[in-house]
Amino acid sequence: MAKKVLIVYAHQSSSSFNSAAKTTAVEVLTTLGCSVEVSDLYAMNFKATATAEDIKGDLKDAENFSYLDESKLAWEEGRLMDDITKEQSKVIEADFIIFQFPMYWFSVPAIMKGWIDRVLTNGFAFTQEKRYSQGIFKEKRAMLSFTTGSLESMFSATGINGDMNVTLWPLQNGILHYCGFQVLAPQIFWAPFSATPEARSCMLEGWRARLQGLLEEQPLSFISLDCFDKKGFQLKSDVQEKHAAKEFGLTVGIHMGKPLPPHNQMKAGS
């Protein structure tokens, strides 16, 4: 069965490297029989701020406004604004989501963060009971594909920007895995703006080659929710004992005070 792919794309220029990466993904995945849809956030003039204006009708508690609670109720009652529900419909239909963007301030651009804030609402994308390995979207896959302004060496364990695995943890674990997505290793285009035309072409060819087998790739490894107790959500004692003698921690974030596992957020099986 052909896969349905959603590309959430954030760049202002159609002549950018990000645009070329997005176009390459559309071309290759379409050739492979996928149905591909692109949410071009800047072209859509997508609203980036999560506010009370996202909700139709009366608020439950306007004086003590809580976006988390009000958006959940509005989602349940079909009162979210149309631009949000349209994107939520795309998420529901998609088997696989690719986020294509330039890394801004070690994260996603504001317009993409706004998409995350407004579209992945409480109730629709997660609940207290359904998150992480038991998340709502555990049958779906997602990945980050992005450009950096800094060289790869600068995002190393000894580089000035720090380990890219650490940078990726909040995005891949705190957003994608939190909603249950199976997260594929990121596609990172290191500093294309300062690369030669030939090097940029090689980057795109590498992406094109990866896309050929992307749908069969194994996802990154995260710790199952079952490994934590239900009171304080701490690692269960037997899990801690099992890994006590191992050299590295379990993941970048759940490292047990040990050295970080190499490439944990960048390569499957690490």
Side-chain angles (χ1 to χ4, degrees):
M1 182 181 295
K3 298 288 186 180
K4 293 185 177 180
V5 180
L6 171 64
I7 300 177
V8 182
Y9 166 67
H11 200 286
Q12 305 92 329
S13 175
S14 60
S15 62
S16 66
F17 188 93
N18 273 274
S19 179
K22 175 260 298 178
T23 299
T24 299
V26 172
E27 291 175 353
V28 174
L29 293 172
T30 300
T31 300
L32 293 174
C34 296
S35 171
V36 184
E37 185 167 13
V38 178
S39 285
D40 186 338
L41 301 184
Y42 285 106
M44 294 159 57
N45 196 28
F46 190 81
K47 178 175 173 285
T49 53
T51 66
E53 285 70 37
D54 291 344
I55 297 163
K56 301 176 182 177
D58 295 332
L59 299 174
K60 180 181 179 181
D61 188 352
E63 185 174 348
N64 302 291
F65 179 73
S66 166
Y67 195 87
L68 184 74
D69 296 334
E70 296 285 358
S71 61
K72 181 177 187 293
L73 181 61
W75 171 74
E76 292 171 345
E77 298 178 351
R79 295 188 294 108
L80 288 173
M81 292 300 290
D82 294 345
D83 64 333
I84 297 175
T85 57
K86 183 177 181 180
E87 295 304 299
Q88 288 181 338
S89 294
K90 295 177 185 178
V91 172
I92 291 171
E93 293 174 2
D95 301 300
F96 183 32
I97 301 178
I98 299 173
F99 293 86
Q100 181 66 56
F101 60 95
M103 180 168 276
Y104 283 3
W105 292 109
F106 292 56
S107 187
V108 298
I111 198 167
M112 182 171 283
K113 182 56 164 60
W115 187 97
I116 292 166
D117 290 347
R118 299 178 67 229
V119 175
L120 301 181
T121 55
N122 185 15
F124 168 72
F126 65 91
T127 67
Q128 288 297 304
E129 297 76 26
K130 296 181 179 180
R131 50 182 173 159
Y132 292 117
S133 60
Q134 298 175 14
I136 290 172
F137 299 138
K138 61 184 180 181
E139 301 302 323
K140 300 179 183 292
R141 293 188 165 203
M143 70 173 293
L144 307 178
S145 175
F146 61 93
T147 58
T148 69
S150 298
L151 300 173
E152 182 176 5
S153 60
M154 297 169 69
F155 274 108
S156 68
T158 56
I160 191 169
N161 291 343
D163 191 339
M164 177 58 87
N165 290 280
V166 175
T167 299
L168 290 172
W169 177 257
L171 298 173
Q172 295 187 152
N173 178 74
I175 298 173
L176 301 182
H177 178 53
Y178 188 87
C179 294
F181 286 109
Q182 299 174 50
V183 186
L184 295 193
Q187 179 69 25
I188 307 176
F189 301 101
W190 301 101
F193 85 98
S194 61
T196 64
E198 292 76 18
R200 289 195 292 271
S201 294
C202 287
M203 291 181 192
L204 288 176
E205 284 308 307
W207 178 221
R208 184 179 295 276
R210 183 184 178 189
L211 284 161
Q212 297 289 340
L214 191 65
L215 300 179
E216 285 74 48
E217 284 189 7
Q218 291 298 309
L220 298 173
S221 176
F222 294 93
I223 308 305
S224 172
L225 195 60
D226 296 334
C227 292
F228 299 86
D229 64 51
K230 300 303 182 185
K231 184 178 180 180
F233 288 95
Q234 292 288 299
L235 278 175
K236 293 178 179 177
S237 57
D238 62 320
V239 177
Q240 294 192 45
E241 291 170 6
K242 180 180 178 181
H243 292 273
K246 295 190 176 181
E247 179 182 3
F248 297 107
L250 290 170
T251 64
V252 167
I254 306 164
H255 51 70
M256 301 175 62
K258 297 174 178 290
L260 303 186
H263 311 301
N264 176 256
Q265 292 298 291
M266 297 175 71
K267 293 183 180 179
S270 297

